Amino acid sequence: MIIYSVCNSCYQSFSLTVMPGHTELMNQIRDEDEITCPCPRLCGGRINIVNIPELSNASRTPPMVITAQELYQAVNGMGLPDEIPSDPLVVDALLRANKIAKTVMEEVNGRVYIHEVVLENGVVVHFASAARGACILKTTKERPCRPESSQKD
Ligand SMILES: [Zn+2]
């Protein structure tokens, strides 16, 4: 099933492919109204996860094509495919070209953990830990996945 979906806040459109085996993933992210879920851009808006015929006719820009699994991962903070950098040269250029405007860190038991670096151009670089070291989880435009108000330690 392919669902044409639009965010009610950032207006990003998606062409969402839901295979029969992805029903459980969709159940885990759907809202109580059963027709929406959080926008995978984590903009604070909601997207429809059922087809609304009027929406597919209103499309102006080509939708981002994603699967239910990609939607699930993005809603859970792992980033949309276009937010996950895969080229070290791109990351190097991004970090060299912009001063750091803000950092999001926490101190736990005398160790400092860095979660995000906000660059002057508004790009937020989100970090995760991996076996090989710090991993860039995703880059977004000033939409921190961990607002300070909701941080817990
Ligand atoms: Zn959105």
Side-chain angles (χ1 to χ4, degrees):
M1 177 172 49
I2 294 177
I3 298 166
Y4 183 79
S5 184
V6 179
C7 175
N8 65 359
S9 179
C10 70
Y11 304 111
Q12 166 88 53
S13 60
F14 301 92
S15 175
L16 172 64
T17 304
V18 182
M19 304 302 279
H22 288 148
T23 307
E24 182 52 37
L25 287 180
M26 296 301 290
N27 287 340
Q28 289 181 39
I29 58 174
R30 82 173 70 235
D31 295 329
E32 276 185 24
D33 66 11
E34 304 211 332
I35 60 169
T36 60
C37 79
C39 173
R41 287 269 181 234
L42 302 183
C43 71
R46 318 308 282 185
I47 65 167
N48 55 293
I49 52 173
V50 297
N51 264 315
I52 301 174
E54 304 85 69
L55 278 181
S56 47
N57 299 329
S59 170
R60 291 202 186 104
T61 56
M64 171 183 270
V65 177
I66 59 171
T67 65
Q69 188 165 1
E70 288 168 331
L71 173 66
Y72 176 83
Q73 289 171 338
V75 165
N76 285 292
M78 301 300 286
L80 280 166
D82 70 347
E83 295 174 336
I84 303 169
S86 57
D87 187 342
L89 288 176
V90 172
V91 175
D92 184 61
L94 177 70
L95 293 175
R96 285 172 184 264
N98 298 281
K99 283 186 176 171
I100 293 173
K102 185 182 159 198
T103 60
V104 178
M105 297 189 242
E106 68 181 325
E107 181 270 318
V108 178
N109 297 329
R111 301 299 297 251
V112 177
Y113 296 87
I114 185 159
H115 298 294
E116 296 170 11
V117 168
V118 182
L119 303 174
E120 268 184 344
N121 66 350
V123 170
V124 184
V125 184
H126 305 256
F127 293 94
S129 58
R132 290 173 177 264
C135 167
I136 297 179
L137 186 62
K138 61 181 177 177
T139 58
T140 59
K141 262 300 220 187
E142 285 205 278
R143 278 187 298 269
C145 71
R146 295 168 187 254
E148 273 115 281
S149 57
S150 67
Q151 272 187 354
K152 51 187 175 192
D153 44 340

